[in-house]
Amino acid sequence: MEQTLSLFIRSIFVDNMIFASFLGMCSYLAVSKNVKTSFGLGVAVIFVLMVTVPINYLLQVKVLSGGIGGYDLSYLSFILFIAVIAGITQLVEMLVERFSPSLYSALGIFLPLIAVNCAIMGASLFMQQRIEMAPTSSQYIGGIGDALVYAFGSGIGWLLAIVGLAAIREKMAYTIVPKPFQGLGITFITVGLMAMAFMCFSGLKI
Amino acid sequence: MSKMFSKDNREAFFNALNFNNPIAAQVLGICSALAVTSQLKPAIVMSFCVTCIVALSNVIISLIRKTIPNRIRIIIQLVVVAALVTIVSILLKAVAYDVSVQLSVYVGLIITNCILMGRLEAFAMMNGPWSSFLDGIGNGLGYAAFLISVGFVRELFGSGCLFGVKIIPDCVYSWGYVDNGMMTMPAMALIILGCLIALHRYLNKNKDI
């Protein structure tokens, strides 16, 4: 229980997807113009993460590393993971279109692009790495429950980061920024400052 | 030969290098640009891998572009890219094991690098193999230019080294110069990239981005 809680908190703050490993930057920068849309994208990312990471965990443990007929198939992991992710994203796209057309049009091209969002693929690849870690490490993923908790935590971390940046950018619209820095340049510097703030979690021991 | 380097092809190549740079102007492929640049060597290896994969996948997709059904094109593109990345990752483990350990998951993440999907969608689906190849190389090199400059600044000021060799002489340290440990942190990568993008915009300010 303690281990699970520690994994959860760590994946939100210490191993934050955006600030510690820069995953999912493209849509993070492009969609964070207002809080409402970015919240929608964050929830979609959490959902896709929570479905794909456990599926990929099972694939990795039961099929790839165990092997079919004794063959080690782990070199197929990239292709299998991305196929699972692309399939699930298609599903989410259909669900969002059915239940929330306004969010669907606001997210636009970025909804299908969740499939190529590094955060999703990255979570699966980190999960693959963490299976092999020592069981005493607080990053260890030892079962499908841990995989689910890790996915949920990283999703929440991503949501926090994008909503925070969107809130700052909404305020920033009223400030005067030097011409070359306008738009992207100042956004990067803002994210850098946010990352510095998040760095103080890195000594966190739970 | 003259057709091979026609005006359009040259434009596809040089535009991607400077004016329409994938990182500065199109904001694609930022994730890996930030994560692997704390030292120069992984940055160079990474940009080499990405350049090869962009060029090859551009050629493959442009060769089969007429047979791909429109609805499932993303999945086909992903499978082509994933296969290439698998090959590169295995090769990298065989040739340069220590760098591949340093790059860890970011080799696998080339699959989801937006430059690849962006170029495949925007260029290779509509153009012939040769110009797609040039476009791929151009974008790869444009990406490399940014990666290497960020890696250069971060390694030089963060640890005083380039390629792991001490560059800043000892006497400078005895005058009170201190390495800026902040540079090796993720946060500074974002700020350096922000400044580089602002510089790129300033240099290209006559053209409307």
Side-chain angles (χ1 to χ4, degrees):
Chain A
M1 188 61 214
E2 222 172 275
Q3 166 106 39
T4 313
L5 190 69
S6 152
L7 181 72
F8 181 63
I9 303 284
R10 276 190 69 99
S11 55
I12 297 180
F13 293 109
V14 184
D15 303 322
N16 188 291
M17 279 283 173
I18 300 269
F19 299 128
S21 39
F22 309 113
L23 296 177
M25 271 293 179
C26 302
S27 40
Y28 177 69
L29 293 169
V31 181
S32 59
K33 284 192 183 103
N34 75 65
V35 173
K36 203 161 167 248
T37 327
S38 55
F39 188 79
L41 184 70
V43 172
V45 166
I46 295 184
F47 180 77
V48 177
L49 272 176
M50 283 182 68
V51 179
T52 55
V53 173
I55 292 180
N56 285 342
Y57 174 81
L58 288 180
L59 269 178
Q60 169 72 23
V61 173
K62 304 280 181 212
V63 181
L64 293 174
S65 60
I68 298 169
Y71 290 107
D72 182 15
L73 295 174
S74 47
Y75 62 90
L76 283 178
S77 59
F78 290 165
I79 295 186
L80 272 183
F81 287 0
I82 202 74
V84 167
I85 290 168
I88 297 293
T89 314
Q90 198 80 47
L91 195 73
V92 171
E93 198 185 339
M94 285 177 342
L95 284 178
V96 173
E97 193 180 8
R98 169 78 180 75
F99 291 110
S100 170
S102 64
L103 183 64
Y104 182 76
S105 56
L107 292 177
I109 182 70
F110 283 97
L111 200 55
L113 280 186
I114 290 183
V116 287
N117 189 326
C118 325
I120 313 285
M121 186 69 182
S124 287
L125 291 176
F126 275 125
M127 174 273 296
Q128 190 187 20
Q129 239 179 22
R130 286 169 176 220
I131 292 175
E132 287 154 18
M133 281 183 177
T136 49
S137 150
S138 61
Q139 295 183 316
Y140 175 69
I141 291 179
I144 186 140
D146 281 355
L148 198 65
V149 166
Y150 172 65
F152 187 53
S154 353
I156 299 257
W158 204 86
L159 177 81
L160 273 182
I162 194 168
V163 171
L165 181 66
I168 294 177
R169 281 180 79 172
E170 275 187 1
K171 294 284 173 211
M172 213 152 64
Y174 305 108
T175 54
I176 299 163
V177 177
K179 188 100 204 307
F181 279 97
Q182 266 171 21
L184 206 55
I186 195 72
T187 310
F188 266 108
I189 292 175
T190 316
V191 180
L193 294 176
M194 285 169 82
M196 269 186 214
F198 260 74
M199 258 165 60
C200 62
F201 289 116
S202 62
L204 204 63
K205 289 266 187 309
I206 325 163
Chain B
M1 197 66 191
S2 63
K3 195 167 166 267
M4 282 186 117
F5 293 97
S6 67
K7 190 160 170 290
D8 285 356
N9 285 349
R10 258 183 298 147
E11 246 171 34
F13 183 70
F14 286 108
N15 246 351
L17 260 185
N18 184 24
F19 171 53
N20 204 6
N21 187 290
I23 290 191
Q26 309 170 32
V27 213
L28 298 175
I30 305 287
C31 321
S32 51
L34 295 165
V36 301
T37 51
S38 64
Q39 281 169 359
L40 203 48
K41 197 172 160 199
I44 290 178
V45 173
M46 185 71 178
S47 21
F48 179 71
C49 295
V50 170
T51 310
C52 292
I53 293 174
V54 179
L56 282 177
S57 60
N58 255 359
V59 170
I60 294 175
I61 289 294
S62 118
L63 281 174
I64 59 173
R65 70 183 187 280
K66 290 191 182 115
T67 58
I68 301 178
N70 203 33
R71 289 187 66 86
I72 54 163
R73 64 181 194 286
I74 300 225
I75 300 206
I76 292 185
Q77 288 162 359
L78 280 176
V79 169
V80 168
V81 173
L84 284 170
V85 171
T86 309
I87 296 171
V88 165
S89 126
I90 293 172
L91 277 181
L92 201 64
K93 272 193 193 124
V95 177
Y97 185 73
D98 50 330
V99 181
S100 87
V101 169
Q102 248 180 331
L103 290 175
S104 72
V105 299
Y106 292 98
V107 181
L109 284 175
I110 298 177
I111 300 175
T112 52
N113 193 320
C114 320
I115 295 180
L116 282 159
M117 296 306 284
R119 289 336 285 168
L120 293 178
E121 274 287 285
F123 201 91
M125 288 300 282
M126 281 165 256
N127 289 284
W130 174 247
S131 47
S132 303
F133 178 73
L134 281 183
D135 180 77
I137 296 271
N139 274 288
L141 290 179
Y143 172 81
F146 264 77
L147 232 69
I148 291 171
S149 18
V150 177
F152 178 81
V153 173
R154 283 182 74 186
E155 192 175 5
L156 184 63
F157 293 107
S159 51
C161 305
L162 287 178
F163 296 108
V165 180
K166 211 75 183 150
I167 291 288
I168 297 178
D170 285 334
C171 60
V172 181
Y173 287 100
S174 60
W175 297 335
Y177 175 82
V178 184
D179 284 333
N180 186 352
M182 199 67 202
M183 283 286 179
T184 54
M185 298 289 175
M188 271 321 266
L190 286 157
I191 294 179
I192 295 172
L193 197 62
C195 295
L196 275 179
I197 287 175
L199 182 71
H200 179 262
R201 296 225 162 152
Y202 177 73
L203 294 176
N204 284 313
K205 66 180 170 187
N206 300 326
K207 301 175 195 165
D208 199 24
I209 296 182

